[in-house]
Amino acid sequence: MTADQSNRITLAENLVNEAEARMVRAENELLAAQVGCDAAHQRLQCAREAAQAFIEGAVA
């Protein structure tokens, strides 16, 4: 194997490693977004329940 071929292989390996690292970061960001979405959904549900209770109390 020539030095040029070896350098190309090393470069390709580095590119693959960088792509894998980016994929892991993207997966982590997705998980964080899902957690944030779940928390926002829970807050929305609590707000709906509080609004419903307020309406029911005002009508009664």
Side-chain angles (χ1 to χ4, degrees), residues 1-58:
M1 178 182 315
T2 67
D4 183 55
Q5 289 171 324
S6 179
N7 288 340
R8 287 175 186 244
I9 289 170
T10 299
L11 177 60
E13 289 171 343
N14 289 341
L15 291 173
V16 168
N17 289 337
E18 178 60 25
E20 288 173 345
R22 287 182 183 195
M23 189 170 66
V24 168
R25 286 193 296 273
E27 288 171 345
N28 289 340
E29 289 175 10
L30 176 59
L31 288 173
Q34 287 172 334
V35 167
C37 225
D38 289 345
H41 183 264
Q42 287 176 338
R43 288 193 300 274
L44 177 60
Q45 186 63 33
C46 289
R48 283 182 178 155
E49 291 171 6
Q52 186 64 37
F54 177 79
I55 291 167
E56 290 171 3

